[in-house]
Amino acid sequence: MTVHTFGQQTLAIHVGSTSDERTGDVVPPLHIASTHVQDAVDKLRGGYEYGRAANPTRDAFTQALAALEGGGQGFAFPSGLSAEDTLIRALTRPGDHVSFGRDVYGGTFRLFTRVLPQAGITASALDLKDHDAVAYDLAEQGSVVLWVETPSNPMMEVFDIQALADIAHEAGAVLVVDNTFASPYLQQPLALGADVVVHSTTKYVGGHSDLIGGAVVVHDGLKLPAARGGWSETGLVAEEIAFLQMTVGAVQSPRDAHVAHRGLKTLAVRMDRHCTSALEVARFLADHPRVTAVHYPGLEDDPGFELTRKQMPRGAGGVVSFQVGSAGAARAICESTKVFALAVSLGSVESLIEYPPIMTHGSKEGFDEELPDDVVRLAVGLEDVEDLIADLDQAIAAAF
Ligand SMILES: *Cc1c(COP(=O)(O)O)cnc(C)c1O
């Protein structure tokens, strides 16, 4: 007998969405209860006791997300950064070191460089393209975590997850991939050897700019290093996260989990359009005489093109960054668009434009990781692409 395995889009629509037994609702009801009746002392119905520990709506979403990532267990958090914080607390202890890619999200950079040190955890940035240097640094620092964001924000660099997984594992470190920019539709880091995936579900998973959320998906069976001493008896990272999440209270509300779950069901069709429109916008920019550089790994002459075809075969995502030679012009373009809204964030149906050196990556100012001052970041949305290109065309003309 052949075992039929469902495709990702079927999983997105059906996992966690079994119809309600009593009413036949085709989508599961929104469970807003903070507490659940017990049939006898400590005899729980379906394992549900109190909303900080577990909630059926949150579980439905995390089951679906874990299925899409091809991973064991998923967890939903009130924000991407709260997911990152809880994960790092689970994986590290005072005295530990975390190595991360230079081009990480500004908020991640702030967490790693300003908050973790106070807990006795040091962190340092690496060029993830230089694999020898990564291997050397992990061994030298005794890093317990290698943190990778690919494609990176905002420069859209692409890093080789499979190669970095091998390097991390050789050094005894856990490989965490922030999969926010790609989404599980475009990239499945666990299948490439990563141990843990993190998301800001605020972005493509939610997809409509009406939600702040985060998630973690952990590879089945991933354990803390033996010397760690965790809170669970098994030492399984998933159990450590569940314990911490319940203990510190970093849980997503059922209403937000429901919105994130609904977003997951249209992720594939949205991502396809984000990718085709972003590629058209990137091509337009690459041909524009005022544009000095375009960063989009879906362009044939982008340094990340070959790796992207291998690692993200369905498309390069919806974010495009470009440079225009001066900070003044970059800022003026951001302030001159009419369809692209001047706002941080990405991953939604509406197109956004921003100036990263100040708006999203200000936490890197004065550090080696500081961005070029003439960069503009676009989050290409789902409007008609002709309108987006015309808008950029007039904004660039207005800025010069
Ligand atoms: C937005 C973002 C985060 C942080 O997520 P929040 O939901 O804003 O807390 C982390 N990583 C990446 C790549 C992001 O874009």
Side-chain angles (χ1 to χ4, degrees):
M1 196 182 86
T2 55
V3 178
H4 180 76
T5 50
F6 287 114
Q8 212 189 22
Q9 187 56 16
T10 306
L11 295 176
I13 291 171
H14 291 284
V15 175
S17 287
T18 43
S19 63
D20 185 65
E21 289 256 326
R22 189 172 62 87
T23 62
D25 296 14
V26 295
V27 290
L30 173 48
H31 291 271
I32 57 171
S34 56
T35 190
H36 302 263
V37 170
Q38 306 192 9
D39 290 324
V41 173
D42 207 24
K43 188 159 186 285
L44 310 181
R45 278 191 215 169
Y48 294 106
E49 178 189 21
Y50 184 61
R52 178 158 38 73
N55 168 274
T57 303
R58 206 159 61 231
D59 285 353
F61 165 55
T62 53
Q63 280 160 17
L65 182 66
L68 293 203
E69 287 288 0
Q73 212 168 327
F75 302 89
F77 294 83
S79 70
L81 274 165
S82 137
E84 297 185 14
D85 177 55
T86 307
L87 173 62
I88 286 289
R89 288 194 209 206
L91 294 175
T92 62
R93 298 293 179 269
D96 280 345
H97 189 82
V98 173
S99 297
F100 61 95
R102 291 170 59 91
D103 197 12
V104 290
Y105 175 68
T108 304
F109 187 78
R110 186 166 49 221
L111 175 69
F112 286 1
T113 57
R114 297 190 58 191
V115 176
L116 294 190
Q118 304 238 3
I121 297 149
T122 53
S124 58
L126 287 174
D127 175 2
L128 297 174
K129 285 220 166 78
D130 186 344
H131 290 173
D132 290 339
V134 174
Y136 179 81
D137 190 80
L138 291 182
E140 185 76 4
Q141 309 266 11
S143 301
V144 294
V145 174
L146 176 59
W147 191 284
V148 172
E149 209 180 295
T150 180
S152 73
N153 177 14
M155 301 309 277
M156 296 303 284
E157 282 193 89
V158 180
F159 304 107
D160 190 332
I161 295 174
Q162 207 149 26
L164 291 168
D166 289 344
I167 294 167
H169 296 154
E170 184 71 26
V174 166
L175 180 68
V176 177
V177 174
D178 182 334
N179 205 24
T180 300
F181 268 46
S183 88
Y185 176 67
L186 298 180
Q187 173 170 279
Q188 290 183 292
L190 299 180
L192 297 167
D195 302 295
V196 185
V197 168
V198 199
H199 279 283
S200 167
T201 55
T202 311
K203 315 294 167 52
Y204 290 105
V205 170
H208 295 74
S209 296
D210 53 6
L211 162 79
I212 296 280
V216 168
V217 180
V218 181
H219 211 291
D220 252 340
L222 179 69
K223 285 201 164 191
L224 292 175
R228 223 72 315 225
W231 294 284
S232 71
E233 277 172 21
T234 59
L236 288 167
V237 172
E239 284 200 31
E240 298 289 311
I241 293 172
F243 174 85
L244 257 180
Q245 195 177 28
M246 191 268 292
T247 302
V248 306
V251 289
Q252 188 166 43
S253 82
R255 291 170 180 86
D256 285 347
H258 170 75
V259 173
H261 193 173
R262 186 170 59 182
L264 215 48
K265 297 178 187 185
T266 55
L267 179 68
V269 286
R270 286 186 287 108
M271 287 319 288
D272 279 339
R273 177 65 79 87
H274 282 298
C275 289
T276 52
S277 292
L279 182 58
E280 280 193 51
V281 166
R283 286 195 175 129
F284 160 77
L285 292 169
D287 286 341
H288 198 291
R290 292 288 189 185
V291 174
T292 56
V294 181
H295 306 285
Y296 187 69
L299 290 174
E300 285 81 356
D301 56 0
D302 187 277
F305 181 72
E306 285 306 325
L307 180 57
T308 302
R309 281 227 296 212
K310 189 179 99 185
Q311 196 163 275
M312 299 171 61
R314 287 165 160 164
V319 175
V320 179
S321 293
F322 64 103
Q323 290 173 260
V324 286
S326 81
R331 293 176 71 138
I333 291 168
C334 292
E335 292 169 355
S336 303
T337 52
K338 298 187 167 73
V339 181
F340 281 86
L342 177 58
V344 299
S345 200
L346 58 116
S348 184
V349 294
E350 69 282 329
S351 293
L352 303 176
I353 189 166
E354 66 119 358
Y355 181 60
I358 290 181
M359 291 174 65
T360 48
H361 289 65
S363 65
K364 293 186 174 178
E365 200 186 337
F367 288 87
D368 291 346
E369 293 75 21
E370 194 172 305
L371 297 172
D373 69 357
D374 64 338
V375 66
V376 174
R377 187 185 80 183
L378 304 174
V380 177
L382 306 184
E383 301 94 338
D384 294 285
V385 70
E386 298 77 18
D387 294 336
L388 299 179
I389 288 172
D391 190 33
L392 290 171
D393 202 21
Q394 70 76 27
I396 295 170
F400 283 93

